[in-house]
């Protein structure tokens, strides 16, 4: 995370720990170059948009111990890391519950251009009560309703990324005074339950168009969402049997969606 401490709570106190430099671009370029030197595929950036305040009914403990707070925007450090590397990928976590698909699709297209096709989006629906209050809601959107919003959110993004600009829309014709052919740039005219987006997409096609899609969610609705959309999935489970259930279920649902289930990469964390 773009913060002092992610999951190793209290490690900021270790004399050799440098995460206190998280506000320094040099910290992130050094990290990116170290990862590339070590042949890592990608740097994954988690994120939250609220403070943990459930334990003992207070946010003071999280703030005192730097439990994912303070936390900066993860997307803004990606371009400088991409500039400092050639091959490293960057996965950025962004919620579908408190963002708008038109703005986010533009941000991710911009990142895809600036990284030359090395960006991924980790799709989350957000789970902190404080996050809901930060965006004007009295309480969190119900779990399955968040996934319903996410489904339409992705539908809008796909239309903007894949259907708005044709591959040859940009002609760069200096003699004819035409940068892009208007006939090959299309509105999407999306009118749904949660979003209305006219289009067209503001960005010309980026190297990937749609970035690599990550997802983590072990609920029934989360697994169905992963099976339909995700290329990389974080799976939970404390035993091989539990992991096998989640992996097999996601792959079988992916096949039902007409996808090749073996193309979905599954990740399990160890510490």
């Amino acid at each position: 995370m773009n913060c002092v401490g992610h999951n190793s709570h209290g490690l900021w106190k270790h004399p050799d720990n440098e995460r206190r430099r998280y506000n320094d671009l040099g910290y992130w370029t050094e990290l990116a170059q170290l990862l590339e030197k070590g042949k890592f595929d990608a740097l994954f950036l988690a994120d939250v948009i609220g403070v943990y305040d459930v334990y003992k009914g207070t946010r003071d403990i999280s703030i005192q111990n730097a439990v994912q707070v303070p936390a900066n925007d993860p997307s803004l450090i990606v371009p400088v890391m991409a500039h400092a590397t050639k091959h490293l990928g960057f996965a950025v976590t962004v919620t579908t519950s408190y963002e708008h698909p038109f703005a986010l699709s533009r941000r991710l297209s911009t990142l895809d251009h600036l990284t030359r096709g090395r960006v991924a989006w980790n799709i989350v629906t957000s789970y902190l009560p404080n996050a809901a209050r930060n965006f004007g809601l009295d309480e969190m959107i119900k779990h399955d309703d968040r996934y319903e919003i996410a489904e339409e959110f992705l539908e809008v993004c796909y239309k903007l990324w894949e259907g708005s600009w044709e591959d040859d829309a940009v002609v760069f014709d200096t003699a004819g005074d035409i940068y892009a052919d208007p006939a090959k740039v299309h509105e999407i005219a999306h009118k749904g339950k949660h979003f209305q987006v006219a289009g067209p997409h503001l960005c010309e096609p980026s190297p990937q168009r749609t970035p690599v899609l990550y997802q983590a969610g072990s609920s029934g609705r989360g697994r169905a969402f992963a099976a339909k959309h995700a290329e990389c999935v974080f799976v939970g489970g404390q035993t091989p049997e539990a992991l096998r259930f989640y992996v097999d279920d996601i792959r079988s649902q992916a096949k039902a969606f007409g996808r090749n289930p073996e193309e979905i990469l599954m990740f399990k964390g160890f510490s």
Side-chain angles (χ1 to χ4, degrees):
M1 284 182 67
N2 187 359
C3 64
V4 178
H6 181 205
N7 285 333
S8 299
H9 304 311
L11 195 62
W12 59 270
K13 294 176 287 187
H14 194 286
D16 292 333
N17 187 276
E18 293 196 22
R19 285 297 289 272
R20 183 65 183 87
R21 296 175 54 213
Y22 79 102
N23 283 321
D24 177 4
L25 281 177
Y27 170 80
W28 295 104
T29 55
E30 292 164 19
L31 175 61
Q33 290 171 336
L34 180 65
L35 291 172
E36 183 154 281
K37 182 178 180 181
K39 306 299 182 184
F40 278 76
D41 292 307
L43 169 64
F44 180 90
L45 293 162
D47 193 33
V48 291
I49 49 175
V51 175
Y52 291 88
D53 60 0
V54 174
Y55 180 64
K56 294 189 176 182
T58 177
R59 80 315 194 239
D60 294 355
I61 297 168
S62 297
I63 294 174
Q64 178 179 322
N65 294 280
V67 179
Q68 300 185 5
V69 59
N72 291 345
D73 189 321
S75 65
L76 298 180
I77 57 175
V78 169
V80 69
M81 290 192 290
H83 186 66
T85 56
K86 293 182 179 180
H87 307 291
L88 188 69
F90 306 95
V92 179
T93 299
V94 188
T95 180
T96 55
S97 296
Y98 309 114
E99 293 268 355
H100 193 282
F102 184 79
L104 180 59
S105 63
R106 182 193 189 198
R107 192 186 321 159
L108 288 169
S109 290
T110 302
L111 287 175
D112 201 44
H113 279 297
L114 295 178
T115 62
R116 296 182 180 178
R118 289 186 279 151
V119 74
W121 173 22
N122 177 44
I123 306 165
V124 298
T125 63
S126 297
Y127 60 88
L128 290 180
N130 180 246
R133 296 195 299 273
N134 288 337
F135 288 87
L137 302 179
D138 293 330
E139 58 185 20
M140 292 177 61
I141 303 168
K142 292 180 180 179
H143 178 273
D144 285 3
D145 291 342
R146 297 202 304 271
Y147 274 103
E148 180 184 301
I149 292 170
E151 285 285 357
E152 187 179 344
F153 198 111
L154 266 290
E155 181 184 351
V156 176
C157 286
Y158 292 145
K159 289 177 179 178
L160 291 166
W161 285 327
E162 301 293 342
S164 188
W165 289 62
E166 297 181 25
D167 287 339
D168 57 351
V170 176
V171 295
F172 201 77
D173 180 3
T174 56
D177 198 26
I178 302 173
Y179 181 80
D181 184 349
K184 296 184 178 182
V185 179
H186 310 286
E187 284 74 20
I188 66 167
H190 177 89
K191 292 185 178 181
K193 180 178 179 180
H194 303 285
F195 304 106
Q196 293 191 36
V197 180
H201 190 36
L202 289 181
C203 302
E204 63 183 82
S206 67
Q208 296 184 103
R209 285 187 176 261
T210 297
V212 173
L213 300 179
Y214 279 70
Q215 196 268 351
S218 57
S219 69
R221 195 66 188 265
R223 296 195 304 274
F225 185 87
K228 185 176 181 179
H229 300 285
E231 297 164 274
C232 304
V233 182
F234 291 104
V235 289
Q238 301 306 312
T239 66
E241 293 75 22
L243 283 173
R244 182 174 298 279
F245 167 78
Y246 290 122
V247 170
D248 288 349
D249 182 61
I250 292 171
R251 291 201 193 282
S252 65
Q253 291 193 63
K255 187 174 182 180
F257 281 120
R259 302 180 63 194
N260 180 353
E262 297 305 317
E263 291 183 351
I264 302 175
L265 302 181
M266 305 286 186
F267 296 96
K268 166 62 181 163
F270 289 92
S271 62

